[in-house]
Amino acid sequence: MAYTDTAIEKLEKESAQVKGNRMAMAMLDDVRRVLKDFCRQDEEFAQAICRSDKTLSDCMSYVADGVVRNSISDITAYKRAVEFYFPGADISFSMTIDLIGNAGGAAPSASAEAPKKSAMSMSFDELFD
């Protein structure tokens, strides 16, 4: 956990010093949040951030570089940020859709059996190859 806390502190400290174009600044909070989550998930990734002389400002410039039509997907931004600190690393992303959601009516009481939900899961990794 030593690297995790240090990496998170480094990202927080450097976030106040980030300078970049409008796109980089718009993505900063979300990219920083995800990088901190990745540090909590993987000590080796946290170590890479700690030992790197790369800054979050440089990272955000790298993430925003080449963005066309003022648009970049979240997953692409996160992949670029991870790649910046740990070349060759990649991320996976999946979302689950609940086809019933709140349409099943009122929330069941604590004593009632939870209704079965219909769900579909898919990976978005194939969309960004």
Side-chain angles (χ1 to χ4, degrees):
M1 282 300 248
Y3 286 115
T4 299
D5 293 337
T6 305
I8 290 171
E9 288 174 20
K10 179 181 178 185
L11 292 169
E12 283 298 324
K13 180 181 173 187
E14 291 178 355
S15 68
Q17 302 163 356
V18 172
K19 294 181 174 80
N21 65 25
R22 184 178 53 84
M23 288 296 287
M25 298 307 291
M27 294 183 285
L28 174 61
D29 289 341
D30 287 332
V31 169
R32 183 186 64 235
R33 178 185 49 79
V34 169
L35 287 173
K36 287 169 34 179
D37 286 345
F38 290 154
C39 287
R40 289 182 192 100
Q41 291 175 31
D42 193 295
E43 182 81 3
E44 190 174 355
F45 181 71
Q47 181 179 353
I49 288 178
C50 288
R51 291 189 171 179
S52 175
D53 60 349
K54 298 175 179 179
T55 66
L56 185 57
S57 187
D58 294 336
C59 176
M60 294 311 303
S61 294
Y62 180 80
V63 170
D65 185 45
V67 172
V68 293
R69 296 186 310 265
N70 294 326
S71 177
I72 183 173
S73 71
D74 291 348
I75 189 74
T76 300
Y78 305 150
K79 283 182 179 208
R80 286 183 183 180
V82 165
E83 178 183 87
F84 176 79
Y85 284 107
F86 205 116
D90 199 2
I91 63 172
S92 61
F93 180 77
S94 66
M95 295 177 73
T96 302
I97 183 171
D98 178 352
L99 296 178
I100 295 176
N102 294 329
S109 67
S111 62
E113 188 175 313
K116 295 188 187 220
K117 293 185 177 184
S118 173
M120 178 173 59
S121 180
M122 62 187 292
S123 171
F124 283 88
D125 291 335
E126 294 89 27
L127 297 175
F128 299 101
D129 286 340

